[in-house]
Each structure stands twice: as structure tokens, then as C-alpha cells.
Amino acid sequence: MILQQYIQEVLFKQRVCVVPQLGTFSVQHFPSHYNDHTQTLTAPREQVMFTQQWQDDGSCVEWIALKENLVPAVAQRKLEKYLEELKADLQSGKPVVLPGIGQLRGDFTGNIHFHAEELPVEKETLEIRPIERTTDQRSTNTTPAFVPPPPPEALEPIMTEEVEDTLEAVTEESGFKWWWAAIPIAAIVIGLAAWWYLSGISKAVRESETLPDSNAATQQQLAAAAADSLQKALADSTAKAAITPITYYAVVERYKDSSAAAKMQRKQAAWGKTLVLYKRDSMFRTAVELHSLAADTLTQRDSVRKIFGSKVFLEF
């Protein structure tokens, strides 16, 4: 049956399939679950659900029209015929088999029962037991830490009378030479420090006398240069904005539901009109993407209004 093919194609692509006057099929995801009592882990799975509640969005008629190359009015009559045949099979007690999805069965009260098939993504339940950690007695045995041996004691040299006389002579000679070398070095350092201090004071006095005039001239030059650069930047940005194309959208319709917006987008695409779909301020919009200069935006909007009506407005 054509309705069976419609359910198979649409359900696994969009995860929701509405059959008018019959019900709604949906694919539900169930995450993994751990049972503390049985100590088992249930793997995540996909399950097809069915409810007799439905809200016709026109997708079924549109699919039949595209599948059989029919106009919408004829496709609507075809859908009603297919539904009559399906309901007749259900009322007679004959099951309607949906390969890969499940079976539909009707009862004498007019209710429809759905028996779903197990999808291939479902996995077996795993049994998980808690791990009991035991303490190894051998690991608790302590071993004595390694203590390094003490370093050997330093040996003192044996002092003799000749060694003591030699050390005293070397000490006296080195001290005498050090004082004669330190005196001229200290005199040079003191002289350089005095010269540096006096030259720094004289330089500070000269700079303090000429500082106000030079600061005022420098500030005026910096202010003039900043004003010139600001005027040039404003002129460049204005000229660039006048010759640079911008991208914006001519909004055709706004929707609260994304499926309704996507349906309008597909319908316009079937008529050879390309629309983009985006969301702003919790509303879904179908719009025409435009590229032009900033001065030509109203002209572009009027050209789109000639095609889609006077409700078209621009969004940047």
C-alpha cells in the first residue's frame, strides 16, 4: 500500500510521521538505565510509538502528490481512498504489517492497537556486579628503609713548624698587597660618583627651565595629528560603506513551529523558489537571501514583494 511506503520513508527521516484520520507514529529514544536491585545495565534503545491522536499538517497529501505526480486536489482524493482501504482491513480484523516498524490491529470498538518490532539498535542487558576490594597481607609488610652511611670525616692536615711559618708569611704578604691596590680604586670610584651627581643636578635644572614650553607645543601637535587621523578614518569608512555590498534577508513568513516553516520551504522549492530557513527571537522565518548595496535595499524588497506579497519585510 502507498500509505505503508509513506510511513516507512518519513518516519525514519523525520522521526515523526502523521497519517490523517489514523494517528501519529514517532521514534522515541530511551537512554541506558542501571537497576540497583537486579544489578543490571539496560543499553540505550530506539522504540517506535503510536497514538491515535493526530494533527494534519498536509505532509501526507504533499508526499502523494510528488510521488504520483498529481495536483493537490487529486492527491487529497487519493489519500481518502487509501484511508478507506486501510480502515476496512483494520475493521475486518486483518493486521496491517509495516515492515521494520510493526503491526496495526483493530478491534470491534474501533480502537487501533500497535505492536512494535524491535529495532536493530537495541542491545542486550548487561549484568554488572560490584567489585569487592580485598587487602593483600603481603603488601602491608613494611621493609626497613635504606639508610645511607654517614660521610667520612675530613682529615685535618698535620701541622709542622715549617708549614706554620710558610702560612704566616703568605698571609702577611697578601694583606699588604691588597691594601695598596684598594686605595687608588676607592679614590677613582668616589670621584666618578661626585661627577655623576653634579652633572645630574645641572641637567635637571636646564630641563625644568625649558619643560613648560616644549610640553605645550608637543600637546598641540599631538591634538592636531589626532584630529586629522579621525577625519580620515571617518571619510574612509563612509566611502567603503557606500561601495561595499551587504547581505540581508527579505522575510516572507514567520512560524512558531519549525516543521511548518520547513514545509513552506519545501513547497516553495517545488515551485522553483529558493528560500532560507533561520530562527530569531523564538520564531522560525522563511526568507530570500539578498546581496546588494545599502542604497538598493528598498528596491530589492519591492522586487521580492511582487512575488510573495506586501507582507515581506527586511532583516539585517
Side-chain angles (χ1 to χ4, degrees):
M1 294 177 63
I2 192 70
L3 290 180
Q4 294 175 346
Q5 185 179 359
Y6 165 71
I7 295 172
Q8 289 175 333
E9 290 187 6
V10 175
L11 178 60
F12 293 106
K13 288 182 180 179
Q14 302 181 1
R15 303 183 67 87
V16 176
C17 178
V18 178
V19 181
Q21 304 179 23
L22 182 67
T24 303
F25 295 87
S26 62
V27 179
Q28 300 292 332
H29 175 77
F30 294 89
S32 59
H33 174 70
Y34 178 72
N35 192 330
D36 295 334
H37 299 287
T38 61
Q39 296 181 355
T40 56
L41 177 66
T42 303
R45 70 184 191 279
E46 301 283 344
Q47 181 69 40
V48 179
M49 310 295 290
F50 173 77
T51 177
Q52 290 186 251
Q53 299 177 356
W54 55 273
Q55 185 176 0
D56 189 9
D57 57 357
S59 299
C60 189
V61 175
E62 184 178 355
W63 184 87
I64 294 174
L66 294 175
K67 194 73 175 178
E68 301 185 1
N69 197 16
L70 302 173
V71 297
V74 178
Q76 180 66 36
R77 291 196 294 270
K78 283 276 189 178
L79 173 61
E80 294 175 356
K81 178 182 177 181
Y82 296 146
L83 289 173
E84 290 178 359
E85 295 175 356
L86 180 62
K87 290 181 178 180
D89 292 341
L90 292 174
Q91 290 177 358
S92 64
K94 179 181 177 181
V96 177
V97 180
L98 304 174
I101 300 176
Q103 294 184 2
L104 291 174
R105 289 180 178 271
D107 56 15
F108 65 93
T109 60
N111 294 323
I112 300 174
H113 304 279
F114 175 68
H115 303 277
E117 292 185 7
E118 294 184 359
L119 297 180
V121 296
E122 185 175 0
K123 297 179 176 59
E124 298 181 357
T125 302
L126 301 178
E127 182 178 358
I128 300 178
R129 296 184 179 275
I131 299 175
E132 297 180 359
R133 181 177 295 177
T134 58
T135 304
D136 192 357
Q137 297 296 332
R138 291 175 297 178
S139 63
T140 59
N141 296 332
T142 59
T143 58
F146 174 75
V147 179
E153 296 181 358
L155 299 177
E156 295 183 358
I158 300 174
M159 301 296 293
T160 61
E161 295 181 358
E162 297 179 357
V163 174
E164 290 180 357
D165 296 338
T166 303
L167 291 175
E168 290 178 0
V170 171
T171 304
E172 292 175 359
E173 183 179 0
S174 63
F176 178 75
K177 291 181 179 180
W178 182 85
W179 278 108
W180 276 102
I183 291 173
I185 294 174
I188 294 172
V189 171
I190 293 172
L192 291 174
W195 173 81
W196 177 78
Y197 179 74
L198 294 175
S199 62
I201 293 175
S202 61
K203 184 178 179 181
V205 172
R206 290 195 301 271
E207 290 180 353
S208 62
E209 293 176 353
T210 59
L211 184 60
D213 296 336
S214 61
N215 284 342
T218 303
Q219 291 178 359
Q220 292 178 359
Q221 292 176 358
L222 292 176
D228 293 339
S229 61
L230 180 59
Q231 291 179 358
K232 290 181 180 179
L234 292 175
D236 292 341
S237 61
T238 304
K240 185 176 180 181
I243 63 175
T244 303
I246 61 174
T247 301
Y248 55 99
Y249 299 94
V251 180
V252 178
E253 290 289 345
R254 292 185 297 179
Y255 303 89
K256 294 182 179 180
D257 190 4
S258 61
S259 59
K263 175 187 172 184
M264 173 59 70
Q265 185 185 29
R266 293 194 302 268
K267 184 180 294 183
Q268 295 294 339
W271 292 342
K273 301 175 182 178
T274 303
L275 296 180
V276 295
L277 176 62
Y278 66 95
K279 182 181 180 182
R280 181 179 293 180
D281 300 332
S282 72
M283 297 290 290
F284 295 90
R285 290 163 165 77
T286 55
V288 178
E289 185 175 358
L290 300 175
H291 305 277
S292 69
L293 299 178
D296 298 335
T297 55
L298 295 180
T299 304
Q300 295 291 334
R301 182 202 62 185
D302 295 338
S303 62
V304 176
R305 281 183 173 180
K306 292 179 181 179
I307 301 174
F308 294 97
S310 59
K311 294 183 179 181
V312 176
F313 62 93
L314 301 180
E315 279 191 347
F316 297 88

